[in-house]
Amino acid sequence: MARKESDHAVTMRDVAEDAGVSVKTVSNVVNNYQFVSARTRDKVMASIDKLGYTLNVTARNLRTGHTGIIGLAVPDLVMPYFAQLSSLVIEEAKKLGMRVIVEPTLYSREGELEALHGAQQAMLDGLIFSPLELGQDDVAELDVDYPLVLIGERIFTDTVDHVATENVEGAKRATKYLLQTGCRRLAVVGTHPGEQVGSAALRLQGYREALEEMGVPYDERLVVPSKMWHRDDGLHAMNMLLDSGVVPDGVVALNDMLASGVMHSIQLHGFRVPDDISVIGFDNSDDSQYLTPSLTTIAPGLEAVARLSVRVLRDRIDGVSPFGAPEGTSVFRKVSSTLVVRNSTRPIPDGGLRL
Amino acid sequence: MARKESDHAVTMRDVAEDAGVSVKTVSNVVNNYQFVSARTRDKVMASIDKLGYTLNVTARNLRTGHTGIIGLAVPDLVMPYFAQLSSLVIEEAKKLGMRVIVEPTLYSREGELEALHGAQQAMLDGLIFSPLELGQDDVAELDVDYPLVLIGERIFTDTVDHVATENVEGAKRATKYLLQTGCRRLAVVGTHPGEQVGSAALRLQGYREALEEMGVPYDERLVVPSKMWHRDDGLHAMNMLLDSGVVPDGVVALNDMLASGVMHSIQLHGFRVPDDISVIGFDNSDDSQYLTPSLTTIAPGLEAVARLSVRVLRDRIDGVSPFGAPEGTSVFRKVSSTLVVRNSTRPIPDGGLRL
DNA sequence: TTCGTTGTTTACAACGTTGAATATAGTCGA
DNA sequence: TCGACTATATTCAACGTTGTAAACAACGAA
């Protein structure tokens, strides 16, 4: 029995009556309206305490037309990346006095469309959406009646506000760093052959750009695809590579889970990380520092993603132009990533890069 | 710009006017009221489509007095255990037409109290609460004005509905299983010395009960404490044990993360899992099957926890007695755990248990 | 004294929906 | 044909709050 018996909930009317003022005055007190005399305020406060009044948020919502709840549509809550992102978004929203309903889209196109179209029904003030299945062809679906902020780099359109992470730049930085530590035969694990948009393609692109800039030839045999990005997949992919007799001196894993599996495979094959083969990951997941050796990785700046997306959304909800964007323009922000150096890579040799 | 310009939102009144019926009839159609003639229904539906009407959920909430939103207060969204639980609760709630706001309590007493007391303000119909800091002494805090369901085994009171997991029984089952596979010197990793309530204490209790039942002596030296339960902590704890010259033939790790670290430590010391030392975990986390070797573990039945807690809460919200509990009584359900056998333990020898 | 000014409080009417009670058709047996 | 029923549709008044505009009070300045 968790329900108390309080037949008739206390309303502003009750408080008003008890304090001998009008209902609107109670409302004014509750909302910290500036022109309320100290004496009236005290009287009302006393009555509120006495009667145990709490504001009926639903009634306010109806009157004001918004709820203070935003939606967050992500593929899944269990993947560390999205769990972390959700956590940060909730935290940031709380700072701004908003609450969050997380809608898992379950890696399905259907789920993503449902989140997109159901938001209005769902009394959400706005939606932060991290698409995975929806792509460039679905731009039309994004033309919704409520404030919407996109996260990621899958869809590009200048009609929707957008917070992106540095996929290309991050992978490029990772690859360059390995090259600077002296690696010359760099494998990349987790690619999605044929993919155009999406993290795998973008990260591969970063890898290639880095090679090119550093004048290291691109070698197809060092590119190991893997549809999924679990630890397991990294293990298998790396096994395949090593078993086929190709031994790189470094591996760029397209995320940390893959990196974990890759390191495991390397060790099973009797090589040492980083002495024989360096490994770098992507995401800076919570686990990465607990691996053995701890994993050098790219931190995508999730805090910034969370902070920016929530703020932009809040501004749209309030009818304010975020970051002073001109009327009718959408906002695009790319969050910079950082390199987190740990023990799965060798130090950069004294005297810096030697070609 | 994600906001469309539709000055005046379409309301039931507009639909009613267009269809030539009363507002209440539109409401009846929307709510699938049974006594609406097919012809009227079609007319109204047509108008709804034509005008692009969507129900204003907030207005309904005000009128009906509930929102269809429940709260879920957990320590954290990133820990796989809670991420998984949240995921399942969201899924289950969705099946029953409810939505979930997750409130991370951040491992703090303050956060837990805030979740507990803020729920009413927050237009939640009810709350599912997984306490970690609040304990037996805080029973009074649980006397709230709204439906509340407790998850876990930290607090016992017969005034609040409660869904528990099998901590004692699960650990007992794990321990017994290792004994049945032939282990005789079983270490336990991750205990919290001095703790009375809480997973660590309960799981240790299960370990002791199993030993006792099987007639194996309890040996203090095989009990390895660890405040935190990360992979890292398992590694250190096991290192300490092995380095001190104590080599068990099996390890009961109090969760899967610990087990992962424990296995790592064993391998670093040149022993094999399970040939030299068997390892069993707890939680059946997503990762456990990807470890090498894959981890035998106890699955706590999170799906059942999610399902039961959401259903009990729903019943309370609807004023229905869950599971036919007598009026004025609270419900207590313990979810049974299952043993998931993988490759970190040896098979039970033919002929069954040999003492 | 009177008027304006500033500060404070109030009356009224929404916001968009649904429960309760009531009215209107339609159908059937007597 | 008439009432008695059932099926369908409507009227009315909330739900508890806040925006708008208007009223009131207090106080100097004219």
Side-chain angles (χ1 to χ4, degrees):
Chain A
M1 280 288 300
R3 215 193 258 281
K4 250 188 210 157
E5 310 309 333
S6 54
D7 275 325
H8 179 59
V10 182
T11 112
M12 276 192 179
R13 190 204 312 281
D14 302 320
V15 176
E17 206 165 309
D18 185 83
V21 297
S22 76
V23 174
K24 185 66 219 256
T25 297
V26 177
S27 170
N28 286 337
V29 170
V30 168
N31 291 287
N32 286 315
Y33 181 61
Q34 57 171 324
F35 296 121
V36 180
S37 69
R39 206 157 52 86
T40 309
R41 187 182 305 274
D42 291 347
K43 257 195 312 188
V44 172
M45 284 305 208
S47 296
I48 286 178
D49 286 349
K50 176 177 154 199
L51 302 178
Y53 168 79
T54 55
L55 176 68
N56 181 323
V57 184
T58 300
R60 169 190 283 176
N61 292 343
L62 174 58
R63 190 55 241 238
T64 62
H66 54 256
T67 59
I69 301 183
I70 61 176
L72 172 66
V74 290
D76 174 5
L77 257 182
V78 178
M79 272 286 278
Y81 182 89
F82 292 115
Q84 192 119 23
L85 178 65
S86 305
S87 224
L88 291 166
V89 165
I90 290 174
E91 186 185 340
E92 184 63 25
K94 185 171 190 171
K95 282 188 201 156
L96 303 184
M98 304 160 71
R99 308 239 293 311
V100 180
I101 287 186
V102 181
E103 172 99 27
T105 56
L106 303 175
Y107 302 93
S108 79
R109 192 184 155 75
E110 194 180 83
E112 298 191 354
L113 289 174
E114 196 181 321
L116 219 39
H117 296 141
Q120 192 169 26
Q121 281 277 16
M123 58 179 173
L124 302 180
D125 289 345
L127 181 69
I128 297 175
F129 177 35
S130 172
L132 197 69
E133 295 296 324
L134 257 47
Q136 200 61 41
D137 301 338
D138 302 296
V139 169
E141 301 287 350
L142 301 177
D143 184 25
V144 291
D145 288 349
Y146 55 85
L148 175 68
V149 173
L150 244 45
I151 288 186
E153 290 182 280
R154 279 196 66 81
I155 310 182
F156 287 104
T157 160
D158 56 3
T159 60
V160 183
D161 294 322
H162 206 137
V163 178
T165 44
E166 283 193 348
N167 276 310
V168 177
E169 298 84 343
K172 189 167 167 182
R173 181 169 305 157
T175 309
K176 263 192 165 169
Y177 181 75
L178 283 190
L179 294 171
Q180 285 170 342
T181 65
C183 295
R184 277 304 167 271
R185 284 182 58 72
L186 277 187
V188 55
V189 172
T191 62
H192 293 170
E195 184 182 273
Q196 299 292 333
V197 197
S199 304
L202 295 166
R203 291 177 187 182
L204 177 63
Q205 184 189 336
Y207 165 86
R208 297 194 65 161
E209 288 182 9
L211 290 184
E212 187 157 359
E213 272 187 31
M214 305 287 283
V216 176
Y218 173 76
D219 183 346
E220 282 274 357
R221 288 167 301 178
L222 293 170
V223 178
V224 192
S226 169
K227 174 128 179 51
M228 297 303 286
W229 281 2
H230 271 287
R231 193 188 322 279
D232 210 27
D233 306 306
L235 178 68
H236 290 327
M238 196 64 194
N239 280 344
M240 210 143 75
L241 186 71
L242 293 175
D243 292 343
S244 75
V246 180
V247 179
D249 55 7
V251 179
V252 176
L254 294 192
N255 83 349
D256 286 351
M257 307 276 262
L258 285 168
S260 166
V262 164
M263 289 206 295
H264 198 127
S265 164
I266 291 172
Q267 287 157 351
L268 289 179
H269 279 77
F271 296 110
R272 288 161 305 164
V273 179
D275 310 73
D276 301 316
I277 307 178
S278 295
V279 177
I280 195 165
F282 207 116
D283 280 356
N284 190 30
S285 68
D286 272 3
D287 286 356
S288 58
Q289 60 179 309
Y290 296 116
L291 298 174
T292 312
S294 59
L295 182 68
T296 297
T297 186
I298 298 292
L302 278 189
E303 304 81 3
V305 171
R307 195 177 63 245
L308 288 175
S309 53
V310 172
R311 305 223 152 184
V312 169
L313 190 62
R314 195 266 319 261
D315 284 351
R316 290 299 185 196
I317 290 169
D318 292 349
V320 176
S321 247
F323 302 116
E327 194 68 26
T329 330
S330 69
V331 165
F332 179 78
R333 274 281 188 287
K334 185 170 277 196
V335 171
S336 61
S337 56
T338 51
L339 175 69
V340 179
V341 177
R342 297 206 187 91
N343 299 317
S344 66
T345 50
R346 295 190 294 278
I348 295 185
D350 285 349
L353 168 68
R354 176 146 37 116
L355 192 68
Chain B
M1 281 292 298
R3 217 192 256 282
K4 248 187 209 157
E5 310 309 335
S6 54
D7 276 326
H8 180 60
V10 182
T11 112
M12 277 193 178
R13 190 205 310 284
D14 302 320
V15 176
E17 206 165 308
D18 185 83
V21 298
S22 76
V23 173
K24 185 66 220 255
T25 297
V26 177
S27 169
N28 286 336
V29 170
V30 168
N31 291 287
N32 287 314
Y33 182 61
Q34 57 170 327
F35 296 121
V36 180
S37 70
R39 204 156 54 85
T40 310
R41 187 182 306 273
D42 291 347
K43 258 195 310 187
V44 172
M45 284 303 209
S47 296
I48 286 178
D49 286 349
K50 175 176 154 200
L51 302 178
Y53 167 78
T54 55
L55 176 68
N56 182 323
V57 184
T58 299
R60 168 190 284 177
N61 291 344
L62 174 57
R63 189 56 241 240
T64 61
H66 55 255
T67 58
I69 302 183
I70 61 176
L72 173 66
V74 289
D76 174 6
L77 256 181
V78 177
M79 271 287 277
Y81 181 89
F82 293 115
Q84 191 118 22
L85 177 66
S86 305
S87 225
L88 291 166
V89 165
I90 290 174
E91 187 185 339
E92 183 63 24
K94 185 171 189 169
K95 281 188 201 155
L96 303 185
M98 305 160 72
R99 310 241 291 311
V100 180
I101 288 187
V102 182
E103 171 99 25
T105 55
L106 304 174
Y107 301 93
S108 79
R109 191 184 155 75
E110 194 180 85
E112 298 190 353
L113 289 175
E114 197 182 320
L116 219 39
H117 297 141
Q120 192 169 25
Q121 280 277 12
M123 57 178 171
L124 301 180
D125 288 346
L127 181 69
I128 297 175
F129 177 35
S130 171
L132 197 68
E133 296 295 325
L134 257 47
Q136 201 61 39
D137 299 338
D138 302 296
V139 169
E141 301 288 350
L142 302 177
D143 183 27
V144 292
D145 288 348
Y146 53 86
L148 174 68
V149 173
L150 243 46
I151 288 185
E153 291 182 279
R154 277 197 66 81
I155 310 181
F156 287 103
T157 160
D158 56 2
T159 59
V160 182
D161 294 322
H162 206 137
V163 178
T165 44
E166 284 193 345
N167 276 311
V168 177
E169 298 84 345
K172 188 167 168 182
R173 181 171 305 159
T175 309
K176 263 192 167 171
Y177 181 75
L178 283 190
L179 293 172
Q180 284 170 342
T181 66
C183 295
R184 277 304 166 271
R185 283 181 60 71
L186 277 186
V188 55
V189 172
T191 61
H192 292 171
E195 186 181 271
Q196 299 293 333
V197 198
S199 305
L202 295 166
R203 290 177 189 182
L204 177 62
Q205 184 189 337
Y207 165 85
R208 297 193 66 161
E209 288 182 7
L211 289 185
E212 187 157 359
E213 272 188 30
M214 305 286 284
V216 176
Y218 174 76
D219 183 346
E220 281 275 357
R221 287 167 302 176
L222 293 171
V223 177
V224 192
S226 168
K227 173 131 181 49
M228 297 302 288
W229 282 3
H230 271 287
R231 193 188 321 280
D232 211 25
D233 306 307
L235 178 68
H236 291 326
M238 196 62 194
N239 280 345
M240 211 142 75
L241 186 71
L242 293 175
D243 291 344
S244 76
V246 180
V247 179
D249 55 7
V251 178
V252 177
L254 294 191
N255 84 347
D256 286 351
M257 308 275 264
L258 286 169
S260 165
V262 164
M263 290 206 294
H264 199 125
S265 164
I266 292 172
Q267 288 156 350
L268 289 179
H269 279 78
F271 297 108
R272 289 161 304 163
V273 179
D275 310 74
D276 300 316
I277 307 178
S278 295
V279 177
I280 194 164
F282 207 115
D283 281 356
N284 190 30
S285 68
D286 271 4
D287 286 357
S288 58
Q289 62 179 307
Y290 295 118
L291 298 174
T292 312
S294 60
L295 182 68
T296 298
T297 186
I298 297 291
L302 277 188
E303 304 81 2
V305 171
R307 198 178 60 245
L308 288 175
S309 53
V310 172
R311 305 223 153 185
V312 169
L313 190 62
R314 197 268 317 264
D315 284 350
R316 289 298 184 196
I317 291 168
D318 292 350
V320 176
S321 246
F323 302 115
E327 192 70 24
T329 329
S330 69
V331 165
F332 178 78
R333 274 283 188 286
K334 185 169 277 195
V335 171
S336 61
S337 56
T338 50
L339 174 70
V340 180
V341 177
R342 297 207 186 90
N343 300 316
S344 65
T345 50
R346 295 191 294 278
I348 294 185
D350 285 349
L353 167 67
R354 179 148 32 122
L355 192 69

